[in-house]
Amino acid sequence: MMELQVLWFILVTVLFTGFFFLEGFDYGVGTLLPFLSDKDEERSMVIRTIGPVWDGNEVWMITAGGALFAAFPHVYATMFSTFYFALFLMLLALILRGVAFELRTKHECACWRRSWDAAICFGSAIPAFLWGVAVTNLAQGLPINGNMHYTGSFFDLLSVYTIIGGLAFFFVFAFHGAAFLTIRLAHTGLIYRIRRTALKLGACAAAAFVACLLLTGSNTDILKSPVALAALLGAAVLFLGAVKSIRDEKFRASFTLSSLAVVCTTVGFFAGLFPRLMVSSLMPEWSLTIYNASSSELTLQIMTVAALCLVPVVLIYQGWTYWIFRKRVTEEDVRQGHD
């Protein structure tokens, strides 16, 4: 019978995988918004593609954080103190982004709307970059002492490896967002403008991803896991396939492949960490694992029952939302005031 700690490690992995897959194209769309068009109508179409779902995508991050808090409270405490300033910056960016979605349509002034479009871009790009920094830091290891306390500073989180990791996440999410837009928009001219942008982003993302993968091999031990190695190499192949597909104008295939690349990347990092959740760079035995950082057996049992009841409801609801808003966005949608 599977241990509850292992079960919750898998659940946390699934939640973060769903978050990076859904919020990945969400961040990408927001990041690209000011650069795809100078026309307000076309920008409104771009926003409309994620307008009904962006806040639902954020729920995956909240749920993943809640799962960490419930199942591995020591990891939750150490992680949030470790990344305190980075998370504070991310929170500010996300607040600005959420406000921008709501306020950009409250005034017809072009300057007003462009300012909020820039805020959406900023609020999408910063979290994308910071998530890459965070994930590569977890893989590389952090100065965590025997009391599960982080002993470094914010600038200790920045290194060549983690910055490359941040750039890899940024460019991959931007490409992922571009691929998403090609299957959600009905404006042919805008789609082909996005395709040209996506090809440039794909080249940058491929270079950053390969550099990140090489540095992962030299700076961490996660590639010693056969599952992690296969998943990350598979992610690289899938992403190259996504770039080729968008070049060949096979837009659905491109989005599918970029989605699988994001999924494989997330699974690869978690598989390489297992059974650890936070690696100590001071001493390996001080690392936080699913065993020394978990809640009590009774808490895990109660939370397992709750998760089995509630997670399917969330999945069904979000699937229904995407089904309802599955049609391509047209100019008419924006003219009718649905942006």
Side-chain angles (χ1 to χ4, degrees):
M1 186 175 181
M2 183 181 295
E3 295 176 311
L4 289 176
Q5 289 88 348
V6 176
L7 177 63
W8 274 90
F9 180 88
I10 293 172
L11 180 58
V12 168
T13 302
V14 169
L15 290 172
F16 273 106
T17 300
F19 170 67
F20 286 133
F21 159 54
L22 294 171
E23 197 66 6
F25 67 72
D26 202 328
Y27 287 153
V29 170
T31 300
L32 295 176
L33 176 62
F35 307 103
L36 297 177
S37 176
D38 291 327
K39 299 178 181 178
D40 181 67
E41 184 179 85
E42 292 183 348
R43 290 190 179 193
S44 294
M45 289 177 63
V46 170
I47 291 176
R48 172 65 178 166
T49 63
I50 59 172
V53 297
W54 71 267
D55 47 356
N57 294 344
E58 293 282 0
V59 170
W60 285 78
M61 178 177 67
I62 298 169
T63 306
L68 275 177
F69 177 75
F72 307 107
H74 296 295
V75 172
Y76 182 89
T78 305
M79 185 178 294
F80 275 70
S81 61
T82 300
F83 298 117
Y84 180 82
F85 187 63
L87 290 172
F88 177 73
L89 289 177
M90 187 183 297
L91 181 61
L92 285 180
L94 292 175
I95 291 172
L96 180 63
R97 180 173 180 256
V99 170
F101 277 122
E102 298 299 324
L103 294 184
R104 77 175 299 276
T105 59
K106 302 303 181 183
H107 199 289
E108 294 300 324
C109 174
C111 182
W112 171 273
R113 293 200 170 200
R114 288 178 184 275
S115 296
W116 289 117
D117 289 346
I120 292 173
C121 175
F122 176 82
S124 302
I126 293 300
F129 175 78
L130 290 177
W131 273 115
V133 172
V135 169
T136 46
N137 264 295
L138 292 175
Q140 180 177 246
L142 296 155
I144 299 171
N145 64 22
N147 294 319
M148 300 184 181
H149 293 158
Y150 177 67
T151 60
S153 67
F154 170 75
F155 294 102
D156 291 323
L157 301 176
L158 300 176
S159 65
V160 173
Y161 174 48
T162 59
I163 291 173
I164 292 295
L167 291 174
F169 270 58
F170 171 82
F171 283 119
V172 167
F173 285 168
F175 177 89
H176 192 37
F180 174 76
L181 287 173
T182 61
I183 66 170
R184 290 288 288 117
L185 292 170
H187 190 299
T188 304
L190 184 55
I191 287 176
Y192 282 94
R193 211 177 307 144
I194 292 168
R195 173 182 172 270
R196 290 195 296 271
T197 302
L199 289 173
K200 297 174 183 177
L201 290 170
C204 295
F209 191 94
V210 170
C212 183
L213 190 60
L214 292 173
L215 289 172
T216 297
S218 60
N219 287 268
T220 78
D221 63 357
I222 70 171
L223 295 185
K224 292 180 180 179
S225 164
V227 175
L229 180 61
L232 291 173
L233 289 177
V237 173
L238 288 165
F239 189 78
L240 291 175
V243 176
K244 182 179 184 301
S245 293
I246 211 163
R247 186 192 66 186
D248 297 339
E249 300 181 16
K250 298 176 180 177
F251 298 131
R252 290 191 180 277
S254 179
F255 178 69
T256 300
L257 291 171
S258 70
S259 300
L260 291 173
V262 171
V263 168
C264 286
T265 300
T266 311
V267 171
F269 273 99
F270 272 94
L273 283 172
F274 182 83
R276 303 162 299 177
L277 285 162
M278 295 188 74
V279 178
S280 172
S281 59
L282 301 179
M283 293 188 71
E285 56 267 29
W286 289 347
S287 298
L288 279 69
T289 71
I290 62 173
Y291 300 108
N292 66 12
S294 73
S295 295
S296 67
E297 196 75 11
L298 177 60
T299 300
L300 292 177
Q301 289 173 1
I302 295 172
M303 290 303 301
T304 300
V305 174
L308 289 174
C309 295
L310 297 177
V311 170
V313 175
V314 174
L315 292 174
I316 291 170
Y317 172 77
Q318 190 146 34
W320 176 79
T321 302
Y322 275 95
W323 174 256
I324 292 297
F325 295 102
R326 68 189 182 279
K327 293 182 180 178
R328 288 179 178 267
V329 177
T330 66
E331 296 96 324
E332 189 62 28
D333 293 324
V334 175
R335 295 192 190 105
Q336 292 175 355
H338 297 302
D339 59 332

PDB file of all heavy atoms in Angstrom, residues 152-175:
ATOM      1  N   GLY A 152      20.592  32.042   4.285  1.00  0.00           N
ATOM      2  CA  GLY A 152      21.122  32.946   3.271  1.00  0.00           C
ATOM      3  C   GLY A 152      20.304  34.217   3.156  1.00  0.00           C
ATOM      4  O   GLY A 152      19.484  34.543   4.021  1.00  0.00           O
ATOM      5  N   SER A 153      20.527  34.946   2.060  1.00  0.00           N
ATOM      6  CA  SER A 153      19.794  36.184   1.783  1.00  0.00           C
ATOM      7  C   SER A 153      19.137  36.071   0.415  1.00  0.00           C
ATOM      8  O   SER A 153      19.292  35.065  -0.285  1.00  0.00           O
ATOM      9  CB  SER A 153      20.750  37.381   1.800  1.00  0.00           C
ATOM     10  OG  SER A 153      21.663  37.295   0.707  1.00  0.00           O
ATOM     11  N   PHE A 154      18.419  37.123   0.033  1.00  0.00           N
ATOM     12  CA  PHE A 154      17.751  37.111  -1.267  1.00  0.00           C
ATOM     13  C   PHE A 154      18.759  36.952  -2.399  1.00  0.00           C
ATOM     14  O   PHE A 154      18.519  36.211  -3.363  1.00  0.00           O
ATOM     15  CB  PHE A 154      16.960  38.411  -1.453  1.00  0.00           C
ATOM     16  CG  PHE A 154      16.440  38.593  -2.854  1.00  0.00           C
ATOM     17  CD1 PHE A 154      15.350  37.871  -3.314  1.00  0.00           C
ATOM     18  CD2 PHE A 154      17.060  39.488  -3.734  1.00  0.00           C
ATOM     19  CE1 PHE A 154      14.875  38.029  -4.612  1.00  0.00           C
ATOM     20  CE2 PHE A 154      16.585  39.652  -5.037  1.00  0.00           C
ATOM     21  CZ  PHE A 154      15.489  38.919  -5.466  1.00  0.00           C
ATOM     22  N   PHE A 155      19.913  37.603  -2.289  1.00  0.00           N
ATOM     23  CA  PHE A 155      20.889  37.577  -3.383  1.00  0.00           C
ATOM     24  C   PHE A 155      21.589  36.227  -3.496  1.00  0.00           C
ATOM     25  O   PHE A 155      22.186  35.915  -4.525  1.00  0.00           O
ATOM     26  CB  PHE A 155      21.894  38.709  -3.206  1.00  0.00           C
ATOM     27  CG  PHE A 155      21.271  40.068  -3.347  1.00  0.00           C
ATOM     28  CD1 PHE A 155      20.975  40.833  -2.228  1.00  0.00           C
ATOM     29  CD2 PHE A 155      20.940  40.573  -4.595  1.00  0.00           C
ATOM     30  CE1 PHE A 155      20.381  42.078  -2.357  1.00  0.00           C
ATOM     31  CE2 PHE A 155      20.351  41.814  -4.740  1.00  0.00           C
ATOM     32  CZ  PHE A 155      20.059  42.568  -3.614  1.00  0.00           C
ATOM     33  N   ASP A 156      21.502  35.409  -2.429  1.00  0.00           N
ATOM     34  CA  ASP A 156      22.033  34.043  -2.517  1.00  0.00           C
ATOM     35  C   ASP A 156      21.180  33.177  -3.441  1.00  0.00           C
ATOM     36  O   ASP A 156      21.607  32.087  -3.841  1.00  0.00           O
ATOM     37  CB  ASP A 156      22.094  33.402  -1.126  1.00  0.00           C
ATOM     38  CG  ASP A 156      23.148  34.051  -0.240  1.00  0.00           C
ATOM     39  OD1 ASP A 156      24.213  34.418  -0.769  1.00  0.00           O
ATOM     40  OD2 ASP A 156      22.903  34.203   0.969  1.00  0.00           O
ATOM     41  N   LEU A 157      19.968  33.640  -3.744  1.00  0.00           N
ATOM     42  CA  LEU A 157      19.092  32.894  -4.640  1.00  0.00           C
ATOM     43  C   LEU A 157      19.471  33.104  -6.102  1.00  0.00           C
ATOM     44  O   LEU A 157      18.978  32.381  -6.974  1.00  0.00           O
ATOM     45  CB  LEU A 157      17.634  33.323  -4.436  1.00  0.00           C
ATOM     46  CG  LEU A 157      17.054  33.153  -3.027  1.00  0.00           C
ATOM     47  CD1 LEU A 157      15.641  33.710  -2.972  1.00  0.00           C
ATOM     48  CD2 LEU A 157      17.062  31.687  -2.615  1.00  0.00           C
ATOM     49  N   LEU A 158      20.320  34.099  -6.362  1.00  0.00           N
ATOM     50  CA  LEU A 158      20.662  34.439  -7.744  1.00  0.00           C
ATOM     51  C   LEU A 158      22.051  33.917  -8.101  1.00  0.00           C
ATOM     52  O   LEU A 158      23.034  34.218  -7.428  1.00  0.00           O
ATOM     53  CB  LEU A 158      20.611  35.961  -7.938  1.00  0.00           C
ATOM     54  CG  LEU A 158      19.253  36.616  -7.652  1.00  0.00           C
ATOM     55  CD1 LEU A 158      19.360  38.127  -7.793  1.00  0.00           C
ATOM     56  CD2 LEU A 158      18.176  36.069  -8.577  1.00  0.00           C
ATOM     57  N   SER A 159      22.112  33.123  -9.113  1.00  0.00           N
ATOM     58  CA  SER A 159      23.376  32.599  -9.639  1.00  0.00           C
ATOM     59  C   SER A 159      23.206  32.450 -11.147  1.00  0.00           C
ATOM     60  O   SER A 159      22.112  32.658 -11.683  1.00  0.00           O
ATOM     61  CB  SER A 159      23.707  31.246  -9.003  1.00  0.00           C
ATOM     62  OG  SER A 159      22.742  30.273  -9.374  1.00  0.00           O
ATOM     63  N   VAL A 160      24.274  32.108 -11.826  1.00  0.00           N
ATOM     64  CA  VAL A 160      24.174  31.912 -13.277  1.00  0.00           C
ATOM     65  C   VAL A 160      23.115  30.862 -13.593  1.00  0.00           C
ATOM     66  O   VAL A 160      22.263  31.043 -14.483  1.00  0.00           O
ATOM     67  CB  VAL A 160      25.536  31.494 -13.864  1.00  0.00           C
ATOM     68  CG1 VAL A 160      25.399  31.116 -15.340  1.00  0.00           C
ATOM     69  CG2 VAL A 160      26.554  32.622 -13.710  1.00  0.00           C
ATOM     70  N   TYR A 161      23.146  29.769 -12.835  1.00  0.00           N
ATOM     71  CA  TYR A 161      22.191  28.676 -13.071  1.00  0.00           C
ATOM     72  C   TYR A 161      20.752  29.124 -12.857  1.00  0.00           C
ATOM     73  O   TYR A 161      19.876  28.879 -13.701  1.00  0.00           O
ATOM     74  CB  TYR A 161      22.529  27.500 -12.164  1.00  0.00           C
ATOM     75  CG  TYR A 161      21.527  26.364 -12.204  1.00  0.00           C
ATOM     76  CD1 TYR A 161      21.073  25.850 -13.416  1.00  0.00           C
ATOM     77  CD2 TYR A 161      21.045  25.797 -11.028  1.00  0.00           C
ATOM     78  CE1 TYR A 161      20.159  24.806 -13.455  1.00  0.00           C
ATOM     79  CE2 TYR A 161      20.131  24.755 -11.062  1.00  0.00           C
ATOM     80  CZ  TYR A 161      19.686  24.273 -12.271  1.00  0.00           C
ATOM     81  OH  TYR A 161      18.774  23.242 -12.301  1.00  0.00           O
ATOM     82  N   THR A 162      20.469  29.785 -11.744  1.00  0.00           N
ATOM     83  CA  THR A 162      19.088  30.154 -11.443  1.00  0.00           C
ATOM     84  C   THR A 162      18.575  31.260 -12.370  1.00  0.00           C
ATOM     85  O   THR A 162      17.392  31.283 -12.706  1.00  0.00           O
ATOM     86  CB  THR A 162      18.941  30.580  -9.975  1.00  0.00           C
ATOM     87  OG1 THR A 162      19.798  31.711  -9.704  1.00  0.00           O
ATOM     88  CG2 THR A 162      19.323  29.445  -9.042  1.00  0.00           C
ATOM     89  N   ILE A 163      19.469  32.158 -12.784  1.00  0.00           N
ATOM     90  CA  ILE A 163      19.044  33.198 -13.729  1.00  0.00           C
ATOM     91  C   ILE A 163      18.734  32.574 -15.093  1.00  0.00           C
ATOM     92  O   ILE A 163      17.735  32.927 -15.738  1.00  0.00           O
ATOM     93  CB  ILE A 163      20.121  34.292 -13.847  1.00  0.00           C
ATOM     94  CG1 ILE A 163      20.194  35.096 -12.536  1.00  0.00           C
ATOM     95  CG2 ILE A 163      19.825  35.216 -15.024  1.00  0.00           C
ATOM     96  CD1 ILE A 163      21.331  36.089 -12.469  1.00  0.00           C
ATOM     97  N   ILE A 164      19.568  31.626 -15.526  1.00  0.00           N
ATOM     98  CA  ILE A 164      19.276  30.902 -16.771  1.00  0.00           C
ATOM     99  C   ILE A 164      17.962  30.142 -16.630  1.00  0.00           C
ATOM    100  O   ILE A 164      17.146  30.085 -17.562  1.00  0.00           O
ATOM    101  CB  ILE A 164      20.426  29.929 -17.115  1.00  0.00           C
ATOM    102  CG1 ILE A 164      21.689  30.702 -17.498  1.00  0.00           C
ATOM    103  CG2 ILE A 164      20.010  29.008 -18.266  1.00  0.00           C
ATOM    104  CD1 ILE A 164      21.591  31.513 -18.751  1.00  0.00           C
ATOM    105  N   GLY A 165      17.740  29.556 -15.433  1.00  0.00           N
ATOM    106  CA  GLY A 165      16.473  28.869 -15.187  1.00  0.00           C
ATOM    107  C   GLY A 165      15.296  29.819 -15.295  1.00  0.00           C
ATOM    108  O   GLY A 165      14.256  29.473 -15.875  1.00  0.00           O
ATOM    109  N   GLY A 166      15.448  31.022 -14.740  1.00  0.00           N
ATOM    110  CA  GLY A 166      14.394  32.021 -14.837  1.00  0.00           C
ATOM    111  C   GLY A 166      14.116  32.411 -16.269  1.00  0.00           C
ATOM    112  O   GLY A 166      12.955  32.536 -16.691  1.00  0.00           O
ATOM    113  N   LEU A 167      15.175  32.601 -17.057  1.00  0.00           N
ATOM    114  CA  LEU A 167      15.001  32.961 -18.467  1.00  0.00           C
ATOM    115  C   LEU A 167      14.360  31.816 -19.254  1.00  0.00           C
ATOM    116  O   LEU A 167      13.538  32.049 -20.151  1.00  0.00           O
ATOM    117  CB  LEU A 167      16.353  33.325 -19.085  1.00  0.00           C
ATOM    118  CG  LEU A 167      16.981  34.628 -18.589  1.00  0.00           C
ATOM    119  CD1 LEU A 167      18.388  34.799 -19.156  1.00  0.00           C
ATOM    120  CD2 LEU A 167      16.105  35.828 -18.977  1.00  0.00           C
ATOM    121  N   ALA A 168      14.736  30.572 -18.917  1.00  0.00           N
ATOM    122  CA  ALA A 168      14.141  29.419 -19.596  1.00  0.00           C
ATOM    123  C   ALA A 168      12.640  29.372 -19.358  1.00  0.00           C
ATOM    124  O   ALA A 168      11.849  29.193 -20.291  1.00  0.00           O
ATOM    125  CB  ALA A 168      14.805  28.127 -19.125  1.00  0.00           C
ATOM    126  N   PHE A 169      12.228  29.540 -18.104  1.00  0.00           N
ATOM    127  CA  PHE A 169      10.797  29.552 -17.794  1.00  0.00           C
ATOM    128  C   PHE A 169      10.111  30.707 -18.517  1.00  0.00           C
ATOM    129  O   PHE A 169       9.013  30.552 -19.063  1.00  0.00           O
ATOM    130  CB  PHE A 169      10.588  29.661 -16.285  1.00  0.00           C
ATOM    131  CG  PHE A 169      10.510  28.335 -15.584  1.00  0.00           C
ATOM    132  CD1 PHE A 169      11.555  27.418 -15.651  1.00  0.00           C
ATOM    133  CD2 PHE A 169       9.392  27.989 -14.850  1.00  0.00           C
ATOM    134  CE1 PHE A 169      11.491  26.200 -15.009  1.00  0.00           C
ATOM    135  CE2 PHE A 169       9.311  26.775 -14.196  1.00  0.00           C
ATOM    136  CZ  PHE A 169      10.362  25.861 -14.268  1.00  0.00           C
ATOM    137  N   PHE A 170      10.745  31.872 -18.496  1.00  0.00           N
ATOM    138  CA  PHE A 170      10.151  33.062 -19.127  1.00  0.00           C
ATOM    139  C   PHE A 170       9.906  32.833 -20.607  1.00  0.00           C
ATOM    140  O   PHE A 170       8.794  33.073 -21.116  1.00  0.00           O
ATOM    141  CB  PHE A 170      11.080  34.260 -18.918  1.00  0.00           C
ATOM    142  CG  PHE A 170      10.679  35.482 -19.687  1.00  0.00           C
ATOM    143  CD1 PHE A 170       9.692  36.333 -19.202  1.00  0.00           C
ATOM    144  CD2 PHE A 170      11.271  35.790 -20.909  1.00  0.00           C
ATOM    145  CE1 PHE A 170       9.300  37.464 -19.922  1.00  0.00           C
ATOM    146  CE2 PHE A 170      10.884  36.917 -21.627  1.00  0.00           C
ATOM    147  CZ  PHE A 170       9.904  37.745 -21.126  1.00  0.00           C
ATOM    148  N   PHE A 171      10.912  32.359 -21.332  1.00  0.00           N
ATOM    149  CA  PHE A 171      10.771  32.189 -22.778  1.00  0.00           C
ATOM    150  C   PHE A 171       9.858  31.004 -23.128  1.00  0.00           C
ATOM    151  O   PHE A 171       9.082  31.084 -24.093  1.00  0.00           O
ATOM    152  CB  PHE A 171      12.142  31.997 -23.427  1.00  0.00           C
ATOM    153  CG  PHE A 171      12.927  33.269 -23.569  1.00  0.00           C
ATOM    154  CD1 PHE A 171      14.150  33.421 -22.934  1.00  0.00           C
ATOM    155  CD2 PHE A 171      12.450  34.322 -24.333  1.00  0.00           C
ATOM    156  CE1 PHE A 171      14.879  34.598 -23.057  1.00  0.00           C
ATOM    157  CE2 PHE A 171      13.168  35.502 -24.473  1.00  0.00           C
ATOM    158  CZ  PHE A 171      14.385  35.641 -23.829  1.00  0.00           C
ATOM    159  N   VAL A 172       9.935  29.924 -22.347  1.00  0.00           N
ATOM    160  CA  VAL A 172       9.056  28.784 -22.616  1.00  0.00           C
ATOM    161  C   VAL A 172       7.605  29.172 -22.406  1.00  0.00           C
ATOM    162  O   VAL A 172       6.724  28.850 -23.217  1.00  0.00           O
ATOM    163  CB  VAL A 172       9.432  27.589 -21.729  1.00  0.00           C
ATOM    164  CG1 VAL A 172       8.347  26.510 -21.770  1.00  0.00           C
ATOM    165  CG2 VAL A 172      10.757  26.974 -22.182  1.00  0.00           C
ATOM    166  N   PHE A 173       7.314  29.890 -21.315  1.00  0.00           N
ATOM    167  CA  PHE A 173       5.943  30.327 -21.068  1.00  0.00           C
ATOM    168  C   PHE A 173       5.475  31.308 -22.144  1.00  0.00           C
ATOM    169  O   PHE A 173       4.309  31.281 -22.552  1.00  0.00           O
ATOM    170  CB  PHE A 173       5.831  30.965 -19.682  1.00  0.00           C
ATOM    171  CG  PHE A 173       5.857  29.982 -18.549  1.00  0.00           C
ATOM    172  CD1 PHE A 173       6.017  30.417 -17.234  1.00  0.00           C
ATOM    173  CD2 PHE A 173       5.710  28.623 -18.767  1.00  0.00           C
ATOM    174  CE1 PHE A 173       6.042  29.521 -16.178  1.00  0.00           C
ATOM    175  CE2 PHE A 173       5.733  27.705 -17.725  1.00  0.00           C
ATOM    176  CZ  PHE A 173       5.893  28.160 -16.425  1.00  0.00           C
ATOM    177  N   ALA A 174       6.361  32.190 -22.579  1.00  0.00           N
ATOM    178  CA  ALA A 174       5.986  33.139 -23.631  1.00  0.00           C
ATOM    179  C   ALA A 174       5.627  32.399 -24.916  1.00  0.00           C
ATOM    180  O   ALA A 174       4.635  32.720 -25.588  1.00  0.00           O
ATOM    181  CB  ALA A 174       7.121  34.129 -23.871  1.00  0.00           C
ATOM    182  N   PHE A 175       6.438  31.402 -25.274  1.00  0.00           N
ATOM    183  CA  PHE A 175       6.123  30.594 -26.464  1.00  0.00           C
ATOM    184  C   PHE A 175       4.820  29.837 -26.258  1.00  0.00           C
ATOM    185  O   PHE A 175       3.985  29.753 -27.169  1.00  0.00           O
ATOM    186  CB  PHE A 175       7.260  29.614 -26.753  1.00  0.00           C
ATOM    187  CG  PHE A 175       6.969  28.701 -27.913  1.00  0.00           C
ATOM    188  CD1 PHE A 175       7.301  29.084 -29.204  1.00  0.00           C
ATOM    189  CD2 PHE A 175       6.346  27.476 -27.721  1.00  0.00           C
ATOM    190  CE1 PHE A 175       7.017  28.255 -30.284  1.00  0.00           C
ATOM    191  CE2 PHE A 175       6.049  26.647 -28.785  1.00  0.00           C
ATOM    192  CZ  PHE A 175       6.385  27.036 -30.074  1.00  0.00           C
TER     193      PHE A 175
END
